Amino acid sequence: MNIQESLQMETIYQSTVTSIGAEVPIFLEEKMVILFNESAPKDLLDIAVVHSIAPLEGTIEAGDILAFGDRAYKVTFVGNKVNETVGDLGHCTIAFNGADHADLPGTLCVEDKELPQISPSTIITIRKAKGN
């Protein structure tokens, strides 16, 4: 799916990156990104991609599309705490591994492809898949 196709889908979450923690590159080497909104505890900011507070307006499900700017990823697995923590804290751990399961309940797995370039002002979007 390309970004143009995903733009025609219903957006259920949209936020803007405000800062990148100093330890984020370490997690990127492991093909992971930890998201928190600006309400995150200060001691977690070093490991997180921090973004503006935004409402989750639906339920994230496998098949939906997560985008960082113009780089889109199909969601392959949603841990059983992801919707709760995204709604409350804008938080989840994103694994770019294409897996259909994860050990931790706050993990969101997406396609295993080139990692996004994330910087302050990058827009994070979650869109519903057709039929989801």
Side-chain angles (χ1 to χ4, degrees):
M1 167 170 300
N2 65 39
I3 194 67
Q4 291 302 325
E5 290 171 318
S6 73
L7 289 174
Q8 299 169 9
M9 303 165 78
E10 176 192 2
T11 298
I12 62 168
Y13 193 79
Q14 186 165 313
S15 183
T16 303
V17 175
T18 56
S19 66
I20 309 286
E23 296 180 30
V24 167
I26 296 167
F27 289 92
L28 282 169
E29 288 176 13
E30 299 297 321
K31 300 176 85 170
M32 294 174 64
V33 169
I34 298 172
L35 296 179
F36 271 105
N37 68 26
E38 293 171 324
S39 72
K42 300 290 183 224
D43 58 338
L44 296 176
L45 298 182
D46 280 348
I47 64 167
V49 171
V50 181
H51 57 93
S52 57
I53 296 172
L56 177 58
E57 298 175 346
T59 301
I60 305 165
E61 300 173 291
D64 292 348
I65 301 300
L66 168 70
F68 290 89
D70 62 359
R71 181 96 20 105
Y73 301 85
K74 183 176 182 179
V75 173
T76 59
F77 174 79
V78 181
N80 65 9
K81 289 289 188 181
V82 168
N83 282 287
E84 178 184 336
T85 59
V86 169
D88 293 345
L89 301 168
H91 169 62
C92 68
T93 299
I94 301 166
F96 295 86
N97 61 9
D100 63 1
H101 67 282
D103 293 335
L104 299 174
T107 301
L108 179 74
C109 298
V110 299
E111 291 178 277
D112 183 1
K113 61 183 191 180
E114 186 178 344
L115 295 174
Q117 298 295 313
I118 305 171
S119 60
S121 80
T122 296
I123 305 294
I124 302 168
T125 308
I126 300 172
R127 294 183 178 93
K128 293 302 293 173
K130 293 177 180 156
N132 268 9

